[in-house]
């Protein structure tokens, strides 16, 4: 097993370096002891329409896209997942894409995947094409699930490494309607730690939170009451990662 | 709490699919409250880089080191040869021939043996362990047979040897092979030592032996010359001389 030049044999006359074989350092294989597989390793099929379709048309309620997510922010069973970095709606097409791509790329014997978002339940109405405004609310067109930033969409786990899972998770993440990244448990922890460190070692004495809570310069005239909780990191459905 | 002035008169809602244009005041606020990274007084590249940590050796390296120490301790003859890659069958044959003369072929890793040698008394063997090499070790010193086997294998070249704690170069090994075996050398020494006393005895007896030989010759000449007259006085004289 020739390796590159070692400190023992400096280049000889003419700059020729004699390759030498070195001692192989054996790395222990990764330990998958604490991993429990669910009953079905593949992703469940999600219905287009819930079992009891809704009759009453619901208001739009875009606040289910705005701001940080309160549920499904941490890993439960799996080790890797797709983290949403923005808000959006996932409809049946997205679900099928995720299910098929992950089902195609993973090995059901050694890996498993689970949903962290519920099936579409929020009805979205569409008016038929070509009609003028007015005439009431349109009929229900399809159902969607709302996803806020910081939520996990799917979780993947099993006897596998992040590097094996990353390619198809990035492929899926690119196709989602909101920005998303594949992430592992360590990666998430590291992200949070970095955020915390940034918050602590910020050299700027003026932070959005401080100005808004104290209403300095009457800034609250131009801001929303929700900015007290959103603290300048969220704007609409977008999550501003570089802020703070 | 509701804002005093309803800024949303017409236009989009709070959450839009597109990036909603921010009020200028809000833009200014966002610009003011950006993150400022800390700048250390001394930039990190001016500081001395940390020395690389020496990796602790694993059990495998320790085992190999122990084996090498054993080899050096147990065997009288250790020959270091350059090893070029050779076909498997030839290797097996060579090992077989050497095994018949109780010579073992050992592969050692340079990175293990070099620190060991530099600390032991075999410092002068260090320059030999540079490229790919093997060790031929044996508790007896059968250099002639080893050289004969190695002559038949062109891919292995003898670099040097350490026989009975004596470091020999290639020339030295060949000279060592030409030396007679131990028994022959012992016999030679005994013969050389016994040469002097044998010479002494012959020296001491030399004078009288010479005289006896001369007188015998004289008698023969007289007998041959005076055949007719039996002279009893001459043989009596010769008998009396003894």
């Amino acid at each position: 097993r020739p390796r590159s030049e070692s400190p023992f044999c400096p280049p000889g006359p003419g700059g020729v370096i004699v390759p030498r074989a070195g001692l192989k350092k054996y790395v222990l294989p990764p330990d998958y002891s604490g991993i429990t597989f669910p009953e079905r390793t593949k992703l469940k099929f999600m219905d287009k329409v819930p079992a009891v379709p809704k009759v009453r048309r619901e208001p739009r309620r875009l606040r289910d896209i705005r701001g940080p997510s309160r549920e499904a922010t941490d890993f439960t069973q799996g080790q890797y997942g797709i983290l949403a970095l923005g808000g959006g709606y996932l409809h049946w097409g997205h679900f099928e894409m995720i299910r098929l791509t992950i089902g195609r790329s993973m090995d059901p014997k050694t890996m498993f995947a689970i949903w962290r978002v519920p099936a579409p339940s929020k009805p979205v109405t569409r008016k038929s094409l070509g009609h003028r405004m007015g005439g009431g609310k349109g009929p229900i067109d399809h159902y969607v699930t709302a996803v806020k930033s910081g939520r996990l969409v799917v979780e993947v786990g099993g006897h596998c490494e992040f590097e094996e899972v990353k390619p198809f998770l990035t492929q899926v993440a690119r196709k989602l309607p909101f920005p998303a990244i594949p992430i592992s448990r360590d990666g998430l922890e590291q992200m949070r730690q970095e955020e915390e460190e940034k918050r602590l070692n910020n050299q700027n004495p003026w932070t959005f939170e401080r100005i808004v809570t104290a209403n300095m310069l009457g800034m609250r005239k131009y801001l929303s009451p929700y900015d007290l909780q959103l603290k300048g990191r969220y704007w609409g459905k977008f999550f501003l990662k570089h802020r703070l | 709490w509701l804002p005093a002035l309803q800024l949303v008169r017409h236009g989009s809602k709070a959450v839009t699919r597109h990036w909603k244009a921010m009020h200028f005041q809000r833009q200014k606020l966002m610009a003011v409250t950006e993150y400022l990274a800390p700048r250390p007084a001394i930039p990190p590249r001016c500081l001395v880089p940390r020395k690389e940590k020496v990796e602790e050796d694993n059990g495998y390296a320790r085992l190999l080191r122990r084996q090498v120490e054993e080899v050096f301790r147990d065997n009288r003859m250790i020959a270091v040869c350059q090893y070029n890659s050779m076909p498997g069958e030839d290797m097996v044959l060579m090992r077989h021939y050497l095994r018949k003369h109780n010579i073992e072929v050992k592969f050692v890793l340079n990175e293990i043996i070099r620190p060991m040698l530099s600390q032991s008394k075999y410092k002068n063997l260090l320059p030999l362990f540079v490229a790919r090499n093997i060790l031929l070790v044996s508790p007896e010193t059968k250099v002639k047979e080893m050289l004969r086997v190695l002559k038949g294998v062109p891919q292995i070249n003898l670099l040097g040897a350490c026989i009975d704690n004596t470091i020999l170069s290639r020339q030295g090994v060949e000279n060592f092979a030409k030396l007679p075996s131990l028994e022959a050398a012992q016999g030679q020494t005994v013969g050389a030592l016994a040469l002097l006393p044998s010479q002494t005895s012959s020296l001491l007896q030399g004078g009288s032996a010479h005289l006896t030989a001369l007188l015998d010759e004289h008698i023969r000449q007289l007998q041959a010359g005076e055949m007719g007259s039996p002279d009893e006085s001459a043989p009596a004289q010769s008998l009396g001389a003894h």
Side-chain angles (χ1 to χ4, degrees):
Chain A
R1 279 157 270 138
R3 300 259 182 91
S4 59
E5 47 124 334
S6 70
F8 294 145
C9 42
V16 176
I17 293 163
V18 181
R20 65 160 190 107
L23 188 62
K24 185 171 166 104
K25 293 180 178 60
Y26 293 99
V27 179
L28 290 172
D31 183 29
Y32 297 126
S33 51
I35 295 172
T36 44
F37 277 65
E39 282 174 13
R40 303 277 168 101
T41 50
K42 286 188 157 180
L43 287 170
K44 193 177 67 163
F45 174 77
M46 294 291 209
D47 297 316
K48 234 181 187 176
V49 171
V52 180
K54 298 206 171 130
V55 179
R56 176 102 194 273
R57 285 162 292 189
E58 286 177 0
R60 223 167 293 252
R61 269 193 296 122
L62 289 169
R63 57 182 178 268
D64 52 12
I65 303 294
R66 196 180 193 189
S69 171
R70 297 270 281 274
E71 51 175 358
T73 44
D74 287 309
F75 287 91
T76 51
Q77 271 188 304
Q79 292 115 53
Y80 322 108
I82 299 179
L83 185 76
L85 294 176
Y89 288 124
L90 289 174
H91 57 70
W92 186 73
H94 296 126
F95 280 101
E96 281 301 284
M97 181 271 293
I98 296 172
R99 189 176 69 87
L100 291 172
T101 313
I102 292 184
R104 199 175 45 236
S105 323
M106 78 170 195
D107 181 18
K109 287 178 214 157
T110 49
M111 303 190 230
F112 64 88
I114 46 172
W115 289 110
R116 291 308 296 278
V117 285
S121 61
K122 176 172 174 173
V124 162
T125 58
R126 279 270 133 83
K127 289 187 84 66
S128 22
L129 187 62
H131 286 251
R132 298 206 169 169
M133 290 284 106
K137 195 163 162 84
I140 293 175
D141 187 44
H142 57 273
Y143 290 80
V144 294
T145 34
V147 170
K148 290 194 177 187
S149 349
R151 188 190 178 131
L152 290 166
V153 179
V154 284
E155 256 183 59
V156 181
H159 303 314
C160 53
E161 292 297 307
F162 188 45
E163 306 301 322
E164 295 173 39
V165 172
K166 208 163 136 178
F168 62 83
L169 284 187
T170 30
Q171 198 186 356
V172 167
R174 273 204 299 265
K175 289 190 179 180
L176 293 173
F178 39 80
I181 45 159
I183 199 162
S184 61
R185 283 193 197 233
D186 302 328
L188 190 65
E189 217 179 280
Q190 201 192 344
M191 228 166 74
R192 287 186 185 157
Q193 265 173 11
E194 271 171 17
E195 217 175 298
E196 193 61 36
E197 270 173 33
K198 273 179 92 171
R199 213 165 53 76
L200 288 170
N201 64 16
N202 190 2
Q203 300 299 300
N204 195 347
W206 310 111
T207 52
F208 193 96
E209 189 186 345
R210 184 179 162 199
I211 292 179
V212 168
T213 43
N215 192 12
M216 294 183 182
L217 296 174
M219 269 294 124
R220 283 184 71 174
K221 184 173 158 187
Y222 310 104
L223 304 173
S224 155
Y226 290 99
D227 282 315
L228 283 165
Q229 282 93 42
L230 302 178
K231 293 173 195 164
R233 295 203 81 187
Y234 299 88
W235 179 239
K237 65 170 187 169
F238 303 100
F239 170 58
L240 310 167
K241 199 162 180 337
H242 57 273
R243 292 265 321 156
L244 210 147
Chain B
W1 181 91
L2 285 168
L5 190 68
Q6 295 281 1
L7 289 172
V8 181
R9 298 184 54 204
H10 68 94
S12 44
K13 302 192 167 131
V15 179
T16 49
R17 286 178 210 274
H18 62 89
W19 175 271
K20 194 165 142 191
M22 286 186 191
H23 195 278
F24 189 58
Q25 293 284 8
R26 192 188 165 113
Q27 280 177 38
K28 286 196 279 189
L29 177 65
M30 302 287 261
V32 163
T33 54
E34 266 167 12
Y35 170 72
L36 284 179
R39 283 186 69 188
I42 307 167
R45 60 195 170 124
C46 292
L47 294 168
V48 175
R50 263 175 289 161
K51 284 180 196 149
E52 289 178 22
K53 285 182 211 165
V54 178
E55 281 183 31
E56 47 196 50
D57 36 83
N58 43 2
Y60 187 47
R62 260 181 278 140
L63 173 76
L64 290 173
R65 221 171 285 144
R66 233 182 315 149
Q67 279 181 348
V68 169
E69 273 165 26
E70 267 176 36
V71 155
F72 269 97
R73 220 185 11 239
D74 296 341
N75 303 306
R76 277 177 61 196
M77 173 179 88
I78 303 164
V80 183
C81 308
Q82 183 207 15
Y83 170 72
N84 300 309
S85 53
M86 54 195 273
E89 311 103 40
D90 291 355
M91 188 67 189
V92 168
L93 272 173
M94 189 196 84
R95 280 187 114 130
H96 172 67
Y97 288 136
L98 288 171
R99 207 77 189 78
K100 274 200 200 164
H101 301 303
N102 200 11
I103 302 175
E104 273 186 14
V105 175
K106 289 220 185 287
F107 286 87
V108 286
L109 283 172
N110 286 345
E111 72 177 61
I112 290 170
I113 206 165
R114 279 190 80 103
M116 272 189 59
L117 288 183
S118 51
Q119 278 150 20
S120 74
K121 55 183 178 175
Y122 300 102
K123 283 202 192 54
N124 292 320
L125 283 176
L126 270 177
L128 293 179
F129 289 94
V130 170
R132 294 204 71 179
N133 45 32
I134 52 170
L135 290 183
L136 306 177
V137 299
S138 149
E140 308 126 13
T141 53
K142 287 190 180 165
V143 183
K144 219 183 269 181
E145 288 85 0
M146 188 182 80
L147 282 178
R148 203 177 304 138
V149 169
L150 289 180
K151 202 162 61 163
V153 179
Q155 289 102 343
I156 303 220
N157 307 315
L158 182 68
L159 299 175
C162 173
I163 301 177
D164 289 333
N165 290 333
T166 332
I167 293 177
L168 300 165
S169 71
R170 201 205 167 98
Q171 273 302 307
V173 168
E174 280 165 18
N175 294 343
F176 185 87
K178 283 194 197 104
L179 287 176
S181 70
L182 197 64
E183 291 77 21
Q186 278 171 350
Q188 269 186 359
T189 329
V190 163
L193 288 171
L195 190 63
L196 287 172
S198 64
Q199 265 186 356
T200 325
S201 65
S202 60
L203 272 174
L204 290 171
Q205 292 176 351
S208 49
H210 189 59
L211 186 59
T212 322
L214 280 173
L215 288 171
D216 279 336
E217 189 56 44
H218 185 63
I219 293 162
R220 217 174 293 123
Q221 277 183 358
L222 288 172
Q223 277 181 345
E226 301 169 3
M227 281 282 289
S229 53
D231 204 339
E232 290 179 1
S233 63
Q237 274 181 10
S238 70
L239 283 165
H242 286 287

